Amino acid sequence: MTAPEIQQTLDAIVDKVRAYHPDPDVAVLYKAFNLAKDMHADQRRRSGDLYLSHPLAVTSIIADLKLDVPSLCAGILHDIVEDTVVSVADIERDFGTEIAFIVDGVTKLSKYAFNTREERQAESFRKMLIAMSADLRVILVKLADRLHNMRTLGHMPVDKQRYIAKETLDIYAPLANRLGISWIKSELEDESFRYLYPDDYTALSEKVDKKKGERDKFITETIALLAEAVREKDIPCEVSGRSKHFYSIWRKMRNNNIEFDQVYDALAFRIITDTTGRCYEVLGLVHSLWKPVPGRFKDYVAMPKPNGYQSLHTSVLGPYQERVEIQIRTRQMHSIAEYGVAAHWQYKEGRAVSPDADKFAWLRQLVEWQQELPDSQEFMETVTQDLFGEEVYALTPRGDVKTMRKGATPVDFAYAIHTEVGHHCIGARINGAMVPLKTKLRTGDIIEILTSPNGRPSKDWLDFAVTSRARTKIRQHVRAAERDRARQIGRAALDKALRRHSLKIKKVERNGQLRQAIEGSKVPSIEELYVQLGFGRVQTDTIVKRLVPNAEPKEEEDDEGTLAKFINRFTQRKERPGIALDGVDDILVRYAKCCRPVPGEEIVGFVTRGRGLSIHSAQCNKYKNLEQERMVDVYWRADKEARLPVLIRVMCADQSGMLASISQAFSARGVNIAEAHARTNKDGGATLTFQVLVSDAAQLKDALNSIKELKGLYSVERVRA
Ligand code: MN
């Protein structure tokens, strides 16, 4: 681009702006241009063009978006801080805070890396969201910048091409989509496709070219038929038709594993009319003209997408029984569809934030959540899903629409209504029928959430809740509840240990001894100490030793029978059995000796005074006599690796080979024997005691049944001491 060409480009931009803007401040545009011209001076792009050609092309795209003058100026100046000696402060002095803010934002954005290690990527994402929520024009200018870079990507080395194309496809195209700017999204996708999958791109474009004549004829005919039918009813309309863009055709081919010829509705037609009522009228006409394809009608007029998009979508079997997609919308809806969020700055001068910021409440929410989610991995996961996932729209019984990402469940819906509704949700009806909480919602479903004051979030919900709002709230609640339980258990455990040294916990709490004991340690408070004790991260012994430096621990009273002692040899192992209980992570858990529950059995947890959380079988008689307020809900977690010790007593004839047969029966059912004891009785029989490791109740039952079949066997029973 030569200097006169550059001047021409600038004049063309100004003309473009005048076409949509009644009274643009052209002086400030020229001022920005002159600064950029002086500063970028002789800098050149890889293509050999004067560097200045790039910011001008970006500004021209911003004018295509019909944005305000500050955005246009920011476009001209967007690379000036990065590439020249001009500072943000200089721009602020000469052009004001608004333009300086946008330029600063774009400069920072270009430093963020989205293709690097996840940690850094998440951090970049955070910063981008913050910049976006402060002023969406930052991201609009950035999108224009990226679009021009993609258009001129051919001059870059191949590895850079791939890197930039991937980042564009992963981040910027979905972002353009979420912001509702469909033409930028499509172009970014097609350009990325070209560089990421060059062979597929070439093959597809050849196929499309070959059929171009045929297709153009079909498009012209269809447009004429549609326009005629609509105008016959005196409805004003504008009909257009086009091929869907390459990337969307290619994605369809790849996802459905089909050839280009098999891609139906690769053609899309659009009818633009004047009022919402007419949209439905036109829809009726289209459906009477051509047979609609069932299940393809979507009413985004009654239920707009969160980015503001409105349109009626339907697929019909067109003139040659070919499947075509038809979109029907008003002119205003069309403008939102094309310009999305950018529509909010069109013609509007001097505003730092969009007047319709409420429409972009999701953006503010994302920023809120990023403050609540300290873990960047977690944050990245939830944000990308919320930002880029597909959506479902479901209704409350009163008709309020809630938008959630695809795969959302009644739990997500409950949290979308209100945190408290989510926390106390105990069930749901979809379209009047009771459903499990993990049911996936479909667009148009009417959801009634049942709540109870006693309802509490369950950790299991994290297995199916998908929205970041629900997941964040559930995690927070579960963490707080676990912490609280750990605190209770930790305090009780320490209390019990201290009693052996004739110390009372209340006393050491009150007289400051406990505080002294943790002074200088990593534990900041007594409360935190209890939590750490409860999670087993700090040992009670450590604390006891500090409180009672010289005392020998008293022996625990031996109130247990011989059999119980035998069992204890197994249960008092230092390592915890490989089993987790849902709702209680990582806290001191022991399995009650009275009933020795195994996975698959219904169980309850009991917060003991001093021995952590003990797990009882729901069948256990002992637990029923315990204080009910110390009960907590626990469940077995599905974990194939998990095994629990069970004691089995077998009475049989004292004959050789018995031990071997029984062992075989156990191992044939996948039950491992940890230990076996044999004793001969006076009557000539034998008692064999096995310590076995089982993964669930069904497996155990199966094994015991097969042992019962053995010859010479008198009885086999599970021992619950
Ligand atoms: Mn640039």
Side-chain angles (χ1 to χ4, degrees):
M1 226 184 225
T2 59
E5 278 169 349
I6 285 196
Q7 186 61 48
Q8 273 174 19
T9 313
L10 179 66
D11 293 341
I13 291 170
V14 172
D15 287 345
K16 215 191 271 186
V17 176
R18 282 194 203 280
Y20 70 82
H21 196 300
D23 183 27
D25 183 354
V26 177
V28 71
L29 275 177
Y30 278 105
K31 186 173 153 195
F33 170 73
N34 285 326
L35 179 63
K37 192 171 80 175
D38 290 347
M39 299 320 296
H40 289 300
D42 289 335
Q43 290 173 357
R44 303 222 167 233
R45 304 195 86 205
R46 268 176 191 276
S47 59
D49 263 351
L50 276 175
Y51 194 87
L52 194 57
S53 67
H54 166 65
L56 274 185
V58 170
T59 309
S60 180
I61 293 169
I62 294 169
D64 289 334
L65 282 170
K66 304 185 183 176
L67 290 186
D68 58 11
V69 172
S71 306
L72 292 159
C73 289
I76 299 174
L77 302 173
H78 83 268
D79 275 332
I80 208 167
V81 173
E82 174 82 37
D83 295 342
T84 78
V85 295
V86 176
S87 69
V88 174
D90 295 335
I91 296 177
E92 188 167 344
R93 187 192 59 228
D94 294 344
F95 294 90
T97 50
E98 198 178 353
I99 293 171
F101 184 88
I102 304 174
V103 171
D104 189 31
V106 176
T107 306
K108 283 177 181 155
L109 268 182
S110 55
K111 288 182 185 149
Y112 301 156
F114 296 107
N115 277 355
T116 48
R117 277 185 42 238
E118 292 196 21
E119 193 72 7
R120 256 183 77 200
Q121 178 170 324
E123 201 43 45
S124 299
F125 221 87
R126 265 176 214 269
K127 287 177 179 156
M128 182 165 78
L129 286 171
I130 293 164
M132 276 167 70
S133 65
D135 191 331
L136 271 173
R137 288 175 298 181
V138 170
I139 200 69
L140 295 177
V141 172
K142 180 65 198 175
L143 281 175
D145 179 36
R146 180 51 60 106
L147 182 57
H148 185 247
N149 285 336
M150 289 305 294
R151 284 175 181 172
T152 53
L153 198 59
H155 300 288
M156 283 289 190
V158 174
D159 58 330
K160 272 222 151 164
Q161 285 177 354
R162 293 190 54 84
Y163 176 91
I164 294 172
K166 183 158 189 333
E167 187 182 69
T168 303
L169 199 58
D170 287 348
I171 302 287
Y172 289 103
L175 202 52
N177 181 44
R178 200 63 162 88
L179 295 172
I181 314 164
S182 55
W183 66 273
I184 290 195
K185 172 215 154 202
S186 302
E187 200 177 330
L188 288 177
E189 282 181 349
D190 275 358
E191 291 293 342
S192 306
F193 173 41
R194 182 206 299 264
Y195 291 100
L196 283 176
Y197 306 92
D199 297 344
D200 287 5
Y201 183 90
T202 311
L204 181 59
S205 65
E206 275 167 9
K207 279 178 194 147
V208 172
D209 269 355
K210 221 165 89 189
K211 296 218 160 183
K212 195 173 181 307
E214 200 181 306
R215 203 180 54 245
D216 285 352
K217 185 168 157 273
F218 177 80
I219 290 177
T220 319
E221 274 180 34
T222 310
I223 290 177
L225 286 166
L226 278 171
E228 196 188 306
V230 178
R231 290 208 181 101
E232 237 169 51
K233 299 282 176 191
D234 276 334
I235 299 173
C237 72
E238 222 173 88
V239 185
S240 59
R242 69 197 158 89
S243 251
K244 287 197 171 163
H245 67 288
F246 280 12
Y247 182 69
S248 81
I249 296 175
W250 178 75
R251 202 172 36 191
K252 233 172 217 178
M253 288 165 60
R254 198 185 46 171
N255 289 351
N256 305 328
N257 201 14
I258 52 176
E259 291 296 310
F260 174 64
D261 294 331
Q262 295 168 283
V263 178
Y264 300 114
D265 51 18
L267 297 177
F269 293 86
R270 190 173 291 145
I271 305 174
I272 296 172
T273 183
D274 56 353
T275 65
T276 304
R278 290 247 167 88
C279 290
Y280 291 96
E281 233 179 293
V282 170
L283 177 75
L285 280 173
V286 170
H287 281 180
S288 63
L289 189 63
W290 293 311
K291 209 176 154 90
V293 180
R296 299 286 305 188
F297 172 62
K298 291 187 194 107
D299 188 346
Y300 295 119
V301 170
M303 286 193 269
K305 290 190 185 184
N307 63 17
Y309 178 88
Q310 284 186 296
S311 207
L312 299 176
H313 287 195
T314 186
S315 287
V316 295
L317 297 176
Y320 300 98
Q321 294 298 298
E322 286 242 32
R323 206 155 121 163
V324 294
E325 185 180 290
I326 296 177
Q327 304 172 349
I328 304 160
R329 52 175 80 144
T330 65
R331 175 136 309 279
Q332 206 210 334
M333 292 173 195
H334 182 61
S335 155
I336 299 276
E338 288 295 295
Y339 297 108
V341 65
H344 301 288
W345 278 279
Q346 294 173 357
Y347 313 102
K348 288 168 191 141
E349 282 296 287
R351 285 183 198 268
V353 290
S354 160
D356 279 345
D358 272 358
K359 281 206 166 157
F360 298 92
W362 55 269
L363 193 56
R364 279 204 318 275
Q365 278 191 332
L366 285 182
V367 174
E368 270 172 38
W369 289 330
Q370 69 99 9
Q371 288 156 351
E372 289 176 11
L373 289 173
D375 177 358
S376 35
Q377 183 90 34
E378 223 170 80
F379 168 73
M380 192 68 190
E381 173 200 322
T382 49
V383 165
T384 41
Q385 282 166 355
D386 263 36
L387 199 54
F388 304 146
E390 285 182 77
E391 281 124 3
V392 292
Y393 312 88
L395 297 94
T396 66
R398 278 175 27 208
D400 295 335
V401 179
K402 299 286 168 198
T403 309
M404 285 153 299
R405 61 175 289 252
K406 204 171 175 181
T409 62
V411 167
D412 295 291
F413 190 83
Y415 279 100
I417 297 172
H418 196 277
T419 303
E420 288 304 309
V421 175
H423 280 352
H424 297 290
C425 160
I426 52 160
R429 283 197 192 96
I430 296 185
N431 305 324
M434 282 299 295
V435 295
L437 283 178
K438 63 179 179 192
T439 310
K440 286 188 172 39
L441 306 183
R442 287 163 312 174
T443 289
D445 280 345
I446 296 171
I447 320 291
E448 190 187 338
I449 298 295
L450 311 176
T451 58
S452 151
N454 300 326
R456 294 281 179 278
S458 157
K459 199 172 176 183
D460 300 347
W461 292 0
L462 291 172
D463 293 342
F464 51 79
V466 295
T467 56
S468 50
R469 181 178 177 79
R471 296 184 66 82
T472 307
K473 298 291 178 188
I474 296 166
R475 278 196 193 107
Q476 281 174 352
H477 189 280
V478 168
R479 271 178 205 154
E482 273 174 6
R483 218 184 125 78
D484 195 47
R485 281 180 202 158
R487 189 180 50 74
Q488 290 180 33
I489 288 166
R491 185 175 185 274
L494 185 61
D495 185 31
K496 169 128 186 175
L498 289 175
R499 278 167 198 273
R500 271 183 243 143
H501 301 282
S502 311
L503 265 180
K504 288 212 170 118
I505 194 149
K506 278 196 181 140
K507 193 178 155 208
V508 297
E509 276 174 349
R510 242 183 280 127
N511 68 13
Q513 266 183 285
L514 194 52
R515 173 148 297 286
Q516 270 178 10
I518 57 169
E519 231 157 60
S521 77
K522 279 179 194 158
V523 183
S525 67
I526 291 175
E527 162 132 357
E528 186 60 26
L529 171 68
Y530 294 151
V531 172
Q532 297 297 327
L533 286 170
F535 279 129
R537 291 177 198 138
V538 173
Q539 302 306 315
T540 43
D541 277 1
T542 317
I543 305 302
V544 171
K545 272 182 197 144
R546 288 195 194 166
L547 289 168
V548 198
N550 298 317
E552 284 292 314
K554 279 190 210 163
E555 279 299 312
E556 226 180 313
E557 324 84 78
D558 187 358
D559 57 352
E560 292 156 333
T562 328
L563 187 56
K565 266 190 184 159
F566 176 69
I567 296 163
N568 286 350
R569 291 232 306 274
F570 303 105
T571 50
Q572 294 192 338
R573 290 176 308 176
K574 280 283 174 283
E575 81 272 23
R576 298 204 4 231
I579 245 179
L581 294 156
D582 264 346
V584 267
D585 243 14
D586 217 20
I587 63 176
L588 211 58
V589 161
R590 61 164 60 225
Y591 298 92
K593 289 175 205 162
C594 48
C595 53
R596 308 178 60 76
V598 291
E601 270 184 307
E602 216 180 305
I603 46 171
V604 291
F606 178 75
V607 181
T608 63
R609 296 184 199 273
R611 286 181 170 228
L613 191 70
S614 85
I615 308 299
H616 290 260
S617 157
Q619 310 297 324
C620 176
N621 290 323
K622 195 174 162 197
Y623 103 82
K624 287 176 183 151
N625 301 325
L626 299 169
E627 293 163 73
Q628 293 302 303
E629 59 273 20
R630 295 167 78 90
M631 290 297 167
V632 291
D633 288 337
V634 287
Y635 311 91
W636 297 107
R637 179 181 291 161
D639 181 354
K640 295 219 167 54
E641 299 305 308
R643 281 158 180 272
L644 264 199
V646 169
L647 203 63
I648 305 295
R649 187 159 52 208
V650 179
M651 313 281 274
C652 58
D654 187 9
Q655 62 192 43
S656 65
M658 204 67 213
L659 192 60
S661 325
I662 295 172
S663 307
Q664 231 165 34
F666 274 128
S667 65
R669 301 297 183 288
V671 174
N672 292 333
I673 299 172
E675 218 169 309
H677 286 242
R679 196 183 59 200
T680 315
N681 303 332
K682 284 172 200 151
D683 56 7
T687 305
L688 308 177
T689 319
F690 294 91
Q691 165 79 12
V692 294
L693 298 171
V694 298
S695 34
D696 60 43
Q699 187 193 32
L700 178 63
K701 197 176 162 204
D702 199 24
L704 295 188
N705 282 342
S706 77
I707 290 168
K708 278 179 196 154
E709 303 292 311
L710 296 174
K711 225 173 136 190
L713 197 108
Y714 305 151
S715 74
V716 51
E717 60 177 343
R718 185 171 156 199
V719 183
R720 297 188 195 249

